[in-house]
Amino acid sequence: MIIQSHLADLATPTGTMRTYVHRPAGTGRYPAILLYSEIFQQTGPIERAAKIMAGQGYAVLVPEVFHELNPIGTVLGYDDAGREKGNADKAAKDVQGYDTDNRAMIEWVQKQPWCSGKIGAMGFCIGGHLAFRAALQPEVKATACFYATDLHTQIIPNKPGQHSMERLADIKGELQMIWGKQDPHIPAAGRGEVYRKLSETEGLVFSWHEFNGQHAFMRDEGERYDPQLAMTGYQLALQLFGRTLSGNK
């Protein structure tokens, strides 16, 4: 499937949020996927991941997750300076800002003639957490979270009762949690805590997948990239979205 890409600068309560849109070319109406990046924003690997999903028949929106804290178009490098800046931005942004970002994208995409109205979410690293955060929105029917960081910590600033794991009852769609067992950012104890809380939430539908992989095994740059696991990850996400975002469900 041939795709096209364009920009949308969306108004949010905390400022303009540049959003990169990748979707099938030509006419047609497609489900939307809100795709959340790592702390580095839309790098080459994130853009390629978005285009892979778009090529399977989805309109993919990639927001600049720290738009309040950087000039429009900022992309951080996969180096010490980029990690330092990205982690500082993560610690500086209040979690409610992600909620208003999500509302802006959902309300915008549902008005587009190329959107079917069905919405899912996915993300990597902090983006896995932000996809989880998007699942709090009632319109989001399915969410694929790849090695979601900080679900088991209090690093992301939030007010009492606003931590993502304190709002599990708000999730109405299906969750897919994908992890690497050799990921030092989400150790076994942290994964176990997340699993316990999900399991204890009545009515929550989720699947759980752990692989022998390192953090960022989906990222097609760097020594931790595992092409075989990445393909499995994409297949899992596509199976999830294919079941939940098609037809009249």
Side-chain angles (χ1 to χ4, degrees):
M1 181 176 284
I2 303 299
I3 64 172
Q4 58 185 305
S5 300
H6 56 92
L7 303 175
D9 288 336
L10 307 184
T12 80
T14 56
T16 299
M17 177 174 64
R18 171 148 295 178
T19 302
Y20 303 85
V21 181
H22 310 282
R23 60 187 177 89
T27 59
R29 289 164 56 83
Y30 301 94
I33 295 174
L34 312 181
L35 190 149
Y36 300 87
S37 69
E38 310 151 310
I39 57 174
F40 309 98
Q41 305 205 122
Q42 188 183 252
T43 59
I46 293 298
E47 181 178 0
R48 290 189 287 275
K51 288 180 175 180
I52 286 172
M53 299 302 293
Q56 300 298 316
Y58 296 95
V60 182
L61 280 62
V62 184
E64 291 189 341
V65 295
F66 300 135
H67 61 89
E68 306 94 333
L69 305 170
N70 296 282
I72 287 176
T74 293
V75 177
L76 301 177
Y78 289 127
D79 53 24
D80 289 342
R83 281 187 290 274
E84 182 177 348
K85 178 64 168 70
N87 283 320
D89 290 347
K90 179 178 70 173
K93 181 166 179 170
D94 192 274
V95 72
Q96 284 76 54
Y98 300 118
D99 298 338
T100 54
D101 290 350
N102 288 328
R103 289 309 315 163
M105 284 192 289
I106 290 168
E107 292 174 6
W108 179 79
V109 78
Q110 287 187 323
K111 296 176 183 176
Q112 304 309 307
W114 37 261
C115 178
S116 70
K118 304 292 181 64
I119 298 176
M122 68 183 290
F124 311 94
C125 190
I126 183 59
H129 187 145
L130 301 187
F132 191 98
R133 191 78 190 180
L136 302 177
Q137 302 294 325
E139 295 90 346
V140 176
K141 304 303 181 186
T143 304
C145 303
F146 290 85
Y147 35 87
T149 54
D150 300 315
L151 288 175
H152 68 293
T153 73
Q154 297 288 329
I155 292 176
I156 296 177
N158 57 87
K159 299 173 184 176
Q162 284 294 318
H163 191 280
S164 302
M165 296 301 290
E166 296 179 273
R167 295 186 56 190
L168 295 179
D170 293 336
I171 299 176
K172 305 305 180 186
E174 182 173 343
L175 286 177
Q176 183 180 82
M177 310 299 293
I178 300 172
W179 312 93
K181 290 182 180 180
Q182 287 76 47
D183 186 341
H185 300 289
I186 314 107
R191 298 195 304 273
E193 180 182 350
V194 173
Y195 183 84
R196 178 181 60 81
K197 290 181 178 179
L198 296 183
S199 298
E200 292 173 351
T201 302
E202 185 176 356
L204 183 62
V205 178
F206 73 97
S207 61
W208 188 271
H209 310 269
E210 292 192 14
F211 298 101
N212 287 311
Q214 302 181 58
H215 189 72
F217 65 78
M218 296 287 293
R219 184 199 299 162
D220 67 359
E221 286 184 15
E223 60 186 13
R224 290 176 287 178
Y225 175 48
D226 187 321
Q228 185 180 50
L229 284 188
M231 183 173 292
T232 299
Y234 284 123
Q235 289 171 339
L236 286 170
L238 289 168
Q239 289 167 10
L240 171 69
F241 296 136
R243 284 191 294 102
T244 56
L245 302 184
S246 62
N248 296 317
K249 294 181 180 180

